[in-house]
Amino acid sequence: MTDTPPLDYIERIRAYYVGLGYGAPYIWAQLDEVPFTRPTTALAAARIGIVTTAAIFDPTKGDQGPGAAYNGKSKFFETYAAPIDPFPDVRIAHIAYDRTHTTASDMASYFPLAAMQRLVANGKIGSVSPRFYGLPTNRSQRVTTGSDCPRLVKLCQEDLIDMAVLVPNCPVCHQSLALAAAQLEAAGIATVIMGCAKDILEHVGVPRLLFNDLPLGNAAGLPDDVSSQDLVAEMAVELLVEADGPRTTKRSPLVWAGNPDWKKDYSNIDLLSAAEINRRRAEFDAVKRDAKKIKAALSAV
């Protein structure tokens, strides 16, 4: 296991957006109390639901393939449920994963369905819910808690899931799924988050966290490494029954095999030229314009 301390995403992102010229830093959510449900069903009989911030692939919405640029056109704005059969194609081109050090070429590194199905096959868990669930990446905590999360709880209850594994992919995704975990737990569904941004999750407050110290976009394991994906999937479901109370964090032994500078590089405003800062500001503004158009179109329907 690496001794390198986790990246402080909250501070890094604060400096980054101030450096881009956006003024006052974002205020992250923080729960005073974290709901906690003890499972009443054994793992070997439990139905597990997977919650993701990935979007269902839509070929009409531009490039969403490995290494695609930030694509605001592929964002989704409403919580959804979709079948796991046939095996779904979900992408993360619409969110700020680490595009410098990873490419999202292996869906299994951010969407653990195949690993969960293998856990069913070997008898570790009872079943995977026939649907998986998508929660929007929403900077508005009011919308997340007032609309997105209650919809997620309803969908999970419809499918009679016993426990849920939540997998965020970007900084705000970590906040959104932390808030979702609180509402699921309050509804009697035990949760575990497989996450890379430890400081964000622990700042918000979560029931159970399996921390994978890897670049964003790899919360479900190393890309193209099935053994690592199986390891963290099993560690995550075991944490569902092992945790004695809320705010339980367990760190996996996974170590990034690529460039060791990934923590230094991620959204580090001090490493960017003036030209690159201007380019990224223009790119981010374009993403916001795309999102505004999509929201307006949805409201008009």
Side-chain angles (χ1 to χ4, degrees), residues 46-248:
R47 171 176 282 190
I48 306 287
I50 299 172
V51 183
T52 182
T53 55
I56 296 173
F57 174 60
D58 183 342
T60 69
K61 294 182 177 179
D63 187 7
Q64 299 147 70
Y70 201 130
N71 181 355
K73 295 182 176 65
S74 63
K75 282 183 177 290
F76 65 99
F77 296 94
E78 294 182 355
T79 303
Y80 70 83
I84 64 170
D85 186 17
F87 201 97
D89 184 356
V90 296
R91 310 286 181 96
I92 56 174
H94 63 294
I95 46 185
Y97 71 90
D98 186 339
R99 285 173 167 79
T100 301
H101 294 284
T102 191
T103 64
S105 60
D106 180 12
M107 186 171 67
S109 70
Y110 58 83
F111 183 64
L113 175 57
M116 291 295 163
Q117 290 175 327
R118 289 190 289 271
L119 290 181
V120 174
N122 67 28
K124 185 70 177 184
I125 61 176
S127 64
V128 178
S129 173
R131 299 191 294 179
F132 70 99
Y133 315 94
L135 192 86
T137 304
N138 206 323
R139 290 173 65 86
S140 170
Q141 297 163 30
R142 177 186 58 81
V143 173
T144 298
T145 58
S147 178
D148 300 338
C149 293
R151 168 69 173 160
L152 173 66
V153 172
K154 181 175 183 294
L155 293 171
C156 291
Q157 289 174 328
E158 288 175 356
D159 291 338
L160 303 176
I161 72 168
D162 300 299
M163 310 173 195
V165 175
L166 292 74
V167 189
N169 296 292
C170 72
V172 176
C173 298
H174 282 71
Q175 173 180 262
S176 297
L177 289 192
L179 296 172
Q183 293 200 19
L184 288 167
E185 297 272 347
I189 298 171
T191 66
V192 60
I193 295 181
M194 301 169 71
C196 296
K198 180 175 181 284
D199 66 313
I200 294 174
L201 292 170
E202 291 185 341
H203 177 86
V204 179
V206 295
R208 304 166 188 83
L209 164 61
L210 179 68
F211 172 50
N212 291 315
D213 195 13
L214 304 171
L216 292 173
N218 299 283
L222 296 165
D224 303 310
D225 186 336
V226 172
S227 63
S228 77
Q229 296 159 10
D230 285 348
L231 171 66
V232 295
E234 185 166 2
M235 289 181 71
V237 298
E238 287 177 345
L239 192 55
L240 282 164
V241 295
E242 291 175 353
D244 291 327
R247 304 183 190 272
T248 298

Side-chain angles (χ1 to χ4, degrees), residues 287-298:
V287 168
K288 290 196 296 183
R289 288 194 297 271
D290 287 339
K292 188 175 181 179
K293 289 177 183 177
I294 296 170
K295 288 181 179 178
L298 289 172

